[in-house]
Amino acid sequence: ITAPDGTEVLPKRQWWWSRERVQRVMTENGLVFTKTDRGWSISYKQYLIDEHGQKRGSKPFSVIDGIYTQHGTADLRALFDDEVVVQFPKPVALIERLLHISGDKEGVVLDFFAGSGTVAEAVLRLNNQDTGSRTFILVQLPEPCESDTVAARAGFKTIAEVTKERVRRVIKKLNDENVGKLDLGGDKKQDRGFRVFKLAESNFKPWNADVPHDAKALVKQLELHVDHIREGRTADDLLYEILLKSGSPLTTPIEMLTLAGKAVYSVAGGALFICLERELSLELIRAMAEKKPERVVCLDEGFA
């Protein structure tokens, strides 16, 4: 870098910025050269509006002060009828502060140890404050609630049940608070829906490739797979497994249609139809064909 008097200024340690950024800021008079007894000192200006036209926030402090564990306890009490169903929950304000520092109003927040669901509440509340569209993914093992705990006495069998109930209560509370308020976000409506999934074995019985390779054994194997859906599985269970096996994410929009008196799931705006009816009819097949989906998935049993 060349200083105003023509002196070559060499960085003694390392480059903070790329050479291209330095050259651009030099052109914009963003670097400040100060003559000292020991040579030239370089500093830079930081404007309220950045180079992309976005307003800068204040830089975060190294120490977060004023937020304490008891605030997390108060957050839970406010939702669960003055009960603390989980000990030492994280304060909502702490997670809000960290999310605010990230600056991404459309990001995905992942919490592998969800506990009581503080992260979900923080995301929902922050979206409500700044009309953001952050989403969250919570992961929580179904840890049993000990019988002598407040959670167990309140009817929760696992920590995961507490997590889900907290998210439901936060959403209800925010919806109630917003009743009658002016929509300052314009046409942008807050999406406060959420889905719960549990990791489990496939809904479909696997094909046993180890059976003897003779006609009798193969016939028996085929008979077992006439109805190869495991007992007790719901339509939603089947729907989301088929969705994943079709290459679609779990967040794909799904709409249930009624065609020829039967239920058909329209996925991704009609690109994929999933029909879980056990009895297909020619009228239903024609009704689906008229919609011109790219693909249709039906149960084998429906073609009997």
Side-chain angles (χ1 to χ4, degrees):
I1 305 174
T2 303
D5 66 350
T7 305
E8 190 75 13
V9 180
L10 298 176
K12 294 182 179 180
R13 295 184 180 178
Q14 64 186 25
W15 289 92
W16 282 4
W17 297 344
S18 67
R19 181 181 293 272
E20 291 75 20
R21 184 178 179 188
V22 171
Q23 291 172 341
R24 187 181 75 247
V25 175
M26 286 278 289
T27 305
E28 298 169 353
N29 296 320
L31 288 180
V32 179
F33 294 86
T34 307
K35 184 72 171 179
T36 67
D37 295 338
R38 301 171 60 184
W40 285 94
S41 172
I42 303 175
S43 58
Y44 62 93
K45 299 176 183 177
Q46 197 165 40
Y47 296 95
L48 184 61
I49 306 298
D50 66 16
E51 61 267 28
H52 304 294
Q54 299 294 319
K55 184 176 180 180
R56 293 182 185 273
S58 60
K59 288 187 176 181
F61 289 101
S62 300
V63 177
I64 295 178
D65 196 13
I67 301 175
Y68 306 103
T69 303
Q70 55 263 41
H71 293 157
T73 302
D75 294 333
L76 268 191
R77 287 185 182 278
L79 289 172
F80 287 92
D81 304 321
D82 207 31
E83 296 283 0
V84 183
V85 290
V86 174
Q87 293 296 318
F88 308 113
K90 295 183 292 292
V92 175
L94 173 63
I95 306 303
E96 286 183 353
R97 179 81 62 85
L98 297 177
L99 294 176
H100 183 72
I101 290 172
S102 77
D104 189 353
K105 295 173 65 173
E106 299 179 356
V108 180
V109 184
L110 172 63
D111 185 356
F112 264 119
F113 304 94
S116 66
T118 304
V119 166
E121 181 171 354
V123 169
L124 290 164
R125 289 198 173 279
L126 199 56
N127 283 345
N128 188 55
Q129 293 169 24
D130 62 12
T131 66
S133 56
R134 304 168 188 84
T135 55
F136 57 83
I137 300 174
L138 306 183
V139 182
Q140 177 58 50
L141 293 174
E143 297 178 44
C145 295
E146 300 294 337
S147 58
D148 59 342
T149 60
V150 176
R153 292 195 294 271
F156 297 106
K157 295 181 180 179
T158 67
I159 297 298
E161 289 184 6
V162 176
T163 312
K164 292 182 285 186
E165 181 61 21
R166 181 174 190 172
V167 178
R168 294 189 190 101
R169 293 190 181 204
V170 170
I171 291 174
K172 182 179 184 305
K173 188 172 182 179
L174 289 175
N175 288 341
D176 290 344
E177 290 174 356
N178 289 344
V179 171
K181 288 185 178 180
L182 292 175
D183 183 11
L184 301 179
D187 296 329
K188 189 176 181 181
K189 186 177 180 181
Q190 290 281 316
D191 182 356
R192 294 185 180 134
F194 73 104
R195 294 170 178 169
V196 178
F197 298 97
K198 182 172 70 174
L199 190 62
E201 61 185 353
S202 173
N203 298 290
F204 304 98
K205 300 173 187 175
W207 178 268
N208 185 4
D210 297 327
V211 297
H213 291 183
D214 60 69
K216 187 175 180 181
L218 289 174
V219 167
K220 185 177 180 180
Q221 179 83 338
L222 286 168
E223 288 175 349
L224 289 173
H225 280 267
V226 170
D227 184 8
H228 59 293
I229 299 173
R230 297 184 187 275
E231 292 184 6
R233 301 305 170 92
T234 66
D236 280 347
D237 295 335
L238 303 178
L239 172 64
Y240 283 102
E241 181 169 352
I242 293 172
L243 193 71
L244 288 174
K245 289 181 173 178
S246 300
S248 300
L250 293 172
T251 52
T252 304
I254 300 173
E255 180 186 5
M256 193 176 79
L257 307 176
T258 301
L259 301 177
K262 303 285 187 179
V264 177
Y265 296 95
S266 173
V267 179
L272 168 66
F273 276 7
I274 298 177
C275 181
L276 303 177
E277 294 287 345
R278 308 289 177 125
E279 296 180 7
L280 298 176
S281 65
L282 188 57
E283 291 77 19
L284 174 59
I285 293 173
R286 284 174 174 162
M288 288 192 290
E290 287 176 0
K291 300 288 185 180
K292 298 181 180 180
E294 296 176 13
R295 211 159 27 129
V296 177
V297 176
C298 300
L299 297 178
D300 308 49
E301 186 181 349
F303 292 97

